[in-house]
Amino acid sequence: MSTASFEGDAAILVDGAAVPVRVRRSVRARAYRLTIDGAHGGLRLSLPARANLKKALAWAQDHEAWVRDQLARQPAITPLADGATFPLEGRDVTIRWIAGATRTIRLEGDRILLGGPAESVGPRVQRWLVARARAVLDSESHALARDHGLIVASVGVGDPRSRWGSCASSGAIRYSWRLILAPPDVRRATVAHELAHLLHMDHSPAFHAAHRRILGADPRPARAWLRAHGAGLHRYRA
């Protein structure tokens, strides 16, 4: 059963301009919490289930300086439009819309080529990326699991902001589709991380040993890459 729900949208003022705030109530929350909502833009305000919303927003408004600083640190959004360049498996590719060409998306060298309606280029490219991520991560997860005698129940993808993968005790694994933008060694290290959770549902020394054994290499460089560059992968959207 869910312990949290979105009440709706509000706003606070930063330098006189309205910044949208997604309000989230949770029975587990004991205090107000304000975070940057990178997936949707603006802010996310978490508060206890019975808290007064007006007081919570006033509290958030008192943090205007912090919000200003955090928003300034966010990477600029790059729309997945004609002419946009973004990383695909760690290498830069550029979207090229061709008038009169078919809707089918083709990857040719460092270009993603497509025709069809110009106004739907972004959503179609993003759907293509999500499908590619799902196929690659499903294949790699099952192949690496077989190599180590593990069983994966299912593989799915989503667009979480705070994690790159998750593994349930049932063996169901979900990844961020944005891993398809990262270098292959970073993606595989994430796959190995979630497979290691099939053995240890924690981050104990035994888990880290299993992670390294399944990956067949030191996973620390991949973790360092995600810490340094992972947030930037969220800048690309339709």
Side-chain angles (χ1 to χ4, degrees):
M1 181 181 296
S2 175
T3 60
S5 63
F6 281 102
E7 179 172 296
D9 296 325
I12 65 171
L13 296 177
V14 176
D15 296 329
V19 175
V21 178
R22 300 187 80 210
V23 179
R24 178 179 182 269
R25 291 186 181 272
S26 173
V27 298
R28 295 180 178 177
R30 294 293 179 266
Y32 304 143
R33 183 165 182 257
L34 191 63
T35 56
I36 299 297
D37 190 349
H40 299 91
L43 303 166
R44 178 180 292 185
L45 174 63
S46 300
L47 62 156
R50 297 182 181 276
N52 182 283
L53 178 58
K54 185 176 180 180
K55 291 182 178 179
L57 288 171
W59 173 87
Q61 185 65 63
D62 287 342
H63 290 74
E64 179 181 355
W66 178 87
V67 172
R68 182 188 301 111
D69 179 67
Q70 293 300 309
L71 291 176
R73 295 170 182 263
Q74 296 302 300
I77 299 302
T78 298
L80 294 171
D82 180 34
T85 297
F86 66 93
L88 176 62
E89 300 199 44
R91 62 188 181 92
D92 284 347
V93 297
T94 301
I95 300 171
R96 295 299 183 197
W97 176 78
I98 303 171
T102 66
R103 294 172 57 95
T104 302
I105 295 177
R106 308 187 309 279
L107 176 62
E108 294 186 2
D110 61 356
R111 298 185 302 166
I112 289 180
L113 308 177
L114 74 162
E119 64 274 13
S120 66
V121 166
R124 286 189 287 133
V125 169
Q126 182 162 317
R127 287 195 296 270
W128 181 82
L129 289 169
V130 171
R132 185 181 179 97
R134 183 182 296 110
V136 170
L137 288 162
D138 182 88
S139 176
E140 290 185 345
S141 296
H142 283 96
L144 197 55
R146 285 193 299 270
D147 290 344
H148 293 272
L150 301 172
I151 298 176
V152 174
S154 64
V155 174
V157 297
D159 195 13
R161 179 67 184 183
S162 61
R163 60 174 61 187
W164 297 104
S166 62
C167 178
S169 57
S170 64
I173 296 176
R174 285 186 66 81
Y175 299 101
S176 167
W177 71 260
R178 295 178 185 278
L179 285 169
I180 202 65
L181 308 179
D185 59 323
V186 173
R187 184 185 68 239
R188 285 192 290 267
T190 306
V191 170
H193 181 108
E194 300 312 325
L195 293 180
H197 278 311
L198 295 174
L199 299 170
H200 306 281
M201 295 298 289
D202 54 30
H203 289 100
S204 62
F207 163 83
H208 290 296
H211 183 192
R212 183 175 187 131
R213 182 175 67 254
I214 293 170
L215 181 61
D218 185 353
R220 287 177 295 182
R223 288 201 300 268
W225 191 96
L226 283 173
R227 283 195 300 270
H229 306 288
L233 300 184
H234 288 273
R235 67 185 294 184
Y236 305 102
R237 61 184 66 175

